[in-house]
Amino acid sequence: FRSIYTSAVEAALKSNGYVVGVDVDQHYIGEKAVAENGYNPFVTSAMKGLAETVKHMLGEVVAGNFANYGGQVETLGLVSGDDPTANYVQLPMESTQWGDGFTQDDYKALVKAMYDGGVTVSNDISAMPATTITVNFAGNIK
């Protein structure tokens, strides 16, 4: 059984590229590649806060509040502008490869701005934003 990230990581390593993990902090997976390839291909991971969600919902069930949630879709996101690690979606603070272009302090400021409403994130897919993309073709990777 191979997960899709396995192929993405293999391709990144063969082309000296990088990947962004999903769901949980996947930095540890890339640590296995450091000795052989000289670097960890995981720049960061877009974490969903799965453990926090389960703990929260189990607490609500125990408190007798299941009727507030049963049969509904719940969207969980930011619950703190001051502590990014308390949110249901986040980047891992310790394992993200922060750089001069985007630092941990920049990330904290962005989270605070989103929480306070100064920056909004839209899920509207009816009109895509204007983008410029540069693709560096690495040939066929085997």
Side-chain angles (χ1 to χ4, degrees), residues 13 17-18 26-31 33-34 38-43 97:
L13 290 170
Y18 292 90
Q26 293 183 322
H27 184 265
Y28 73 96
I29 296 167
E31 284 300 312
V34 172
Y39 75 104
N40 187 328
F42 283 88
V43 176
Q97 296 181 41

Side-chain angles (χ1 to χ4, degrees), residues 18-135:
Y18 292 90
V19 295
V20 174
V22 295
D23 297 334
V24 297
D25 186 359
Q26 293 183 322
H27 184 265
Y28 73 96
I29 296 167
E31 284 300 312
K32 298 172 187 173
V34 172
E36 186 175 320
N37 298 284
Y39 75 104
N40 187 328
F42 283 88
V43 176
T44 191
S45 296
M47 301 189 320
K48 290 183 181 175
L50 302 173
E52 293 82 0
T53 302
V54 170
K55 289 175 191 173
H56 170 76
M57 293 310 297
L58 288 176
E60 288 294 297
V61 169
V62 169
N65 297 326
F66 179 76
N68 296 337
Y69 300 94
Q72 298 180 37
V73 175
E74 186 81 16
T75 301
L76 303 174
L78 301 180
V79 295
S80 174
D82 298 317
D83 180 9
T85 64
N87 293 314
Y88 289 102
V89 291
Q90 59 185 272
L91 300 179
M93 300 300 275
E94 298 304 318
S95 63
T96 293
Q97 296 181 41
W98 306 103
D100 293 336
F102 190 71
T103 67
Q104 192 175 91
D105 287 338
D106 292 331
Y107 171 65
K108 289 178 181 178
L110 178 59
V111 169
K112 181 159 183 49
M114 288 189 300
Y115 183 78
D116 292 343
V119 171
T120 58
V121 178
S122 173
N123 63 356
D124 179 14
I125 60 170
S126 63
M128 296 300 293
T131 59
T132 302
I133 298 172
T134 301
V135 176

